Amino acid sequence: MDFKVIFKDTFLADLEEILRSVAVHNSEAALKLGRLIIQTAESLSFFPERHPRLRQRPGVRRFIVKKYFKVYYRVQLGSRTVEVLRCWDGRRESDPHV
Protein backbone atom coordinates (compact mmCIF):
# COMPACT_ATOMS: atom_id res chain seq x y z
CA MET A 1 0.00 0.00 0.00
CA ASP A 2 1.40 3.32 -1.04
CA PHE A 3 1.67 6.48 1.01
CA LYS A 4 0.55 9.90 -0.21
CA VAL A 5 3.44 12.38 -0.47
CA ILE A 6 2.63 15.97 0.54
CA PHE A 7 5.05 18.81 -0.15
CA LYS A 8 4.86 21.46 2.57
CA ASP A 9 5.18 25.17 1.72
CA THR A 10 8.49 25.32 3.62
CA PHE A 11 9.95 22.61 1.37
CA LEU A 12 8.74 24.37 -1.78
CA ALA A 13 10.21 27.70 -0.66
CA ASP A 14 13.53 26.05 0.22
CA LEU A 15 13.67 24.23 -3.11
CA GLU A 16 12.89 27.40 -5.05
CA GLU A 17 15.70 29.25 -3.27
CA ILE A 18 18.19 26.46 -3.96
CA LEU A 19 17.24 26.17 -7.62
CA ARG A 20 17.45 29.93 -8.16
CA SER A 21 20.98 29.98 -6.76
CA VAL A 22 22.02 27.07 -9.00
CA ALA A 23 20.30 28.59 -12.06
CA VAL A 24 22.45 31.72 -11.78
CA HIS A 25 25.37 29.56 -12.87
CA ASN A 26 23.62 26.84 -14.88
CA SER A 27 19.88 26.80 -15.60
CA GLU A 28 19.93 23.28 -17.06
CA ALA A 29 21.65 21.91 -13.95
CA ALA A 30 19.00 23.63 -11.80
CA LEU A 31 16.21 21.91 -13.74
CA LYS A 32 17.89 18.53 -13.43
CA LEU A 33 18.49 19.00 -9.71
CA GLY A 34 14.90 20.07 -9.12
CA ARG A 35 13.55 17.04 -10.97
CA LEU A 36 15.86 14.70 -9.07
CA ILE A 37 14.89 16.08 -5.66
CA ILE A 38 11.15 15.91 -6.47
CA GLN A 39 11.39 12.39 -7.93
CA THR A 40 13.36 11.14 -4.95
CA ALA A 41 10.84 12.68 -2.56
CA GLU A 42 7.93 11.19 -4.52
CA SER A 43 9.57 7.76 -4.26
CA LEU A 44 8.84 7.95 -0.51
CA SER A 45 5.32 6.77 -1.37
CA PHE A 46 6.82 3.28 -1.25
CA PHE A 47 8.61 2.23 1.97
CA PRO A 48 9.00 5.75 3.39
CA GLU A 49 10.77 4.53 6.51
CA ARG A 50 13.88 3.48 4.58
CA HIS A 51 15.88 6.58 5.52
CA PRO A 52 17.27 7.16 9.02
CA ARG A 53 15.55 9.13 11.77
CA LEU A 54 17.28 12.15 13.22
CA ARG A 55 18.30 11.68 16.85
CA GLN A 56 17.79 15.32 17.70
CA ARG A 57 14.35 15.53 16.01
CA PRO A 58 12.15 12.53 16.83
CA GLY A 59 9.79 11.57 14.05
CA VAL A 60 11.78 13.37 11.34
CA ARG A 61 13.80 11.49 8.73
CA ARG A 62 16.31 12.71 6.18
CA PHE A 63 17.79 11.72 2.84
CA ILE A 64 20.53 13.42 0.86
CA VAL A 65 20.55 14.19 -2.87
CA LYS A 66 23.75 14.92 -4.80
CA LYS A 67 25.95 14.95 -1.69
CA TYR A 68 24.77 18.36 -0.41
CA PHE A 69 21.00 18.69 -0.50
CA LYS A 70 19.23 17.40 2.61
CA VAL A 71 15.52 16.63 2.44
CA TYR A 72 13.65 16.33 5.74
CA TYR A 73 10.33 14.52 6.03
CA ARG A 74 7.87 12.98 8.48
CA VAL A 75 5.90 9.75 8.05
CA GLN A 76 2.33 9.71 9.34
CA LEU A 77 1.44 6.03 9.61
CA GLY A 78 -2.18 6.59 10.66
CA SER A 79 -3.08 8.68 7.61
CA ARG A 80 -0.53 6.92 5.37
CA THR A 81 1.05 10.21 4.35
CA VAL A 82 4.58 11.51 4.03
CA GLU A 83 5.08 15.21 4.74
CA VAL A 84 8.14 16.57 2.95
CA LEU A 85 9.14 19.38 5.30
CA ARG A 86 12.37 21.07 4.19
CA CYS A 87 15.11 20.98 1.56
CA TRP A 88 18.41 22.36 2.73
CA ASP A 89 21.74 23.05 1.11
CA GLY A 90 24.19 21.22 3.39
CA ARG A 91 26.92 23.71 2.54
CA ARG A 92 25.12 26.29 4.67
CA GLU A 93 26.34 26.92 8.19
CA SER A 94 23.43 25.31 10.04
CA ASP A 95 20.50 22.98 9.47
CA PRO A 96 16.92 24.26 9.25
CA HIS A 97 14.40 24.17 12.06
CA VAL A 98 12.22 21.18 11.34
Side-chain angles (χ1 to χ4, degrees), residues 11 15 18-20 22-23 25-42 63 65-66 69 87:
F11 166 82
L15 183 61
I18 289 169
L19 297 181
R20 282 184 184 193
V22 173
H25 304 288
N26 186 332
S27 59
E28 187 175 323
L31 286 172
K32 286 181 182 180
L33 177 62
R35 285 185 193 124
L36 179 61
I37 290 171
I38 294 292
Q39 287 172 351
T40 306
E42 287 176 338
F63 65 89
V65 176
K66 291 283 192 177
F69 304 101
C87 184

Side-chain angles (χ1 to χ4, degrees), residues 10-61:
T10 50
F11 166 82
L12 296 173
D14 291 343
L15 183 61
E16 182 179 357
E17 182 180 333
I18 289 169
L19 297 181
R20 282 184 184 193
S21 69
V22 173
V24 167
H25 304 288
N26 186 332
S27 59
E28 187 175 323
L31 286 172
K32 286 181 182 180
L33 177 62
R35 285 185 193 124
L36 179 61
I37 290 171
I38 294 292
Q39 287 172 351
T40 306
E42 287 176 338
S43 78
L44 295 170
S45 67
F46 179 74
F47 190 48
E49 295 176 301
R50 66 183 175 262
H51 298 289
R53 286 186 187 142
L54 300 179
R55 278 182 279 162
Q56 64 276 30
R57 295 184 179 112
V60 175
R61 295 174 181 270

